[in-house]
Amino acid sequence: MSLLQLSGVTGGYGPVQVLHGLDLSVEEGHVVVVLGANGAGKTTTLRAISGVIPAGGEITFAGRSITGTRPEGMAKLGIAHVPQGRGTFTGLSVEDNLRVGAVVRRDGEIEADLDRWYQVFPRLGERRDQEAGSMSGGEQQMLALARAMMARPRLLLLDEPSLGLAPLVTRELFTQLARLNREEGLTALVVEQNANLALEVGHWGYVLEAGRIAVEGSADQLHDDEAVRKAYLGF
């Protein structure tokens, strides 16, 4: 069953239309990757889903229309968006960043979840009182992911998580993403330039070109299709 469904979705910035009728779905419990060159519309797709920009067409989440819902409403529905550039609150401590991630929750398990994410990302536990802005890029990206998970989202939107990170740190991050999917059933829609690594983690993939879906298929199909790799993925 599709947790997220896009039907004929359009979007852009002012008079500039970037997305031209996207049809895309994310099955519950799956990691779906969105690939493509710079300017293809990948980030715009996530912004349209999360309500950061106005979107045309139809977006449904868990069977209900969410088209036109504002970002704060999306968070309450269980959609967590980790934007490009990490988006941590650099002047706040690591722990305060994590607590911000749980602001929409009203249960009594926030402290338990803090301990849990410190175990998943031990470096965050070691730096819990440190200002987020003083950490490395890789540590800030891990913090951004953990902060999003503090909301206990049904759907994680992850935009270019490897941007600016060293290859080893990028692989560690994707290893954790795969682990969360495998062990926690995390559903995620991931925009990523590192197509090779993203397809190793993903179940299904879409390749965007000029705001339209050029190719879609299982992650294995896209990874193994030489014509697709040469034309769109660069490996």
Side-chain angles (χ1 to χ4, degrees):
M1 175 184 173
S2 292
L3 180 63
L4 178 74
Q5 184 78 45
L6 276 62
S7 302
V9 167
T10 59
Y13 307 94
V16 180
Q17 186 168 326
V18 177
L19 305 179
H20 304 275
L22 292 190
D23 296 318
L24 177 153
S25 66
V26 179
E27 301 292 317
E28 190 145 26
H30 282 195
V31 174
V32 174
V33 297
V34 179
L35 309 168
N38 285 332
K42 304 186 301 298
T43 291
T44 303
T45 299
L46 295 192
R47 289 174 176 168
I49 294 167
S50 61
V52 174
I53 63 169
E58 187 71 24
I59 304 174
T60 59
F61 178 70
R64 61 174 283 185
S65 175
I66 59 170
T67 312
T69 303
R70 295 190 54 78
E72 57 270 25
M74 297 295 189
K76 290 176 181 177
L77 289 172
I79 299 175
H81 184 182
V82 180
Q84 191 178 104
R86 294 178 270 286
T88 52
F89 296 100
T90 55
L92 296 181
S93 69
V94 167
E95 183 149 319
D96 285 343
N97 265 273
L98 294 177
R99 290 186 183 278
V100 167
V103 72
V104 298
R105 289 173 52 183
R106 295 293 179 266
D107 60 83
E109 299 180 9
I110 291 173
E111 299 302 321
D113 276 6
L114 279 172
D115 289 340
R116 177 183 171 211
W117 294 114
Y118 287 146
Q119 290 175 17
V120 173
F121 298 110
R123 274 175 283 180
L124 299 184
E126 294 166 4
R127 292 159 172 73
R128 68 181 68 193
D129 297 321
Q130 188 173 324
E131 279 194 3
S134 66
M135 298 198 303
S136 70
E139 290 165 345
Q140 287 191 48
Q141 187 66 73
M142 291 172 192
L143 175 59
L145 178 56
R147 188 186 68 198
M149 294 303 295
M150 281 293 295
R152 291 190 173 178
R154 288 190 69 186
L155 174 65
L156 178 68
L157 306 177
L158 198 52
D159 193 358
E160 298 280 14
S162 74
L163 190 68
L165 301 185
L168 283 176
V169 177
T170 297
R171 180 160 288 281
E172 180 183 355
L173 189 71
F174 273 88
T175 298
Q176 290 291 1
L177 180 63
R179 178 183 167 194
L180 290 172
N181 169 255
R182 184 175 62 253
E183 297 180 1
E184 312 284 342
L186 174 67
T187 305
L189 181 61
V190 183
V191 159
E192 181 52 58
Q193 287 273 18
N194 188 330
N196 195 22
L197 190 54
L199 290 171
E200 287 181 15
V201 171
H203 298 89
W204 193 264
Y206 295 90
V207 181
L208 294 192
E209 185 176 36
R212 295 178 171 85
I213 293 172
V215 184
E216 67 173 284
S218 73
D220 288 341
Q221 286 175 328
L222 295 179
H223 187 278
D224 295 339
D225 189 317
E226 186 175 357
V228 170
R229 291 204 315 268
K230 286 184 176 179
Y232 300 108
L233 305 182
F235 70 91

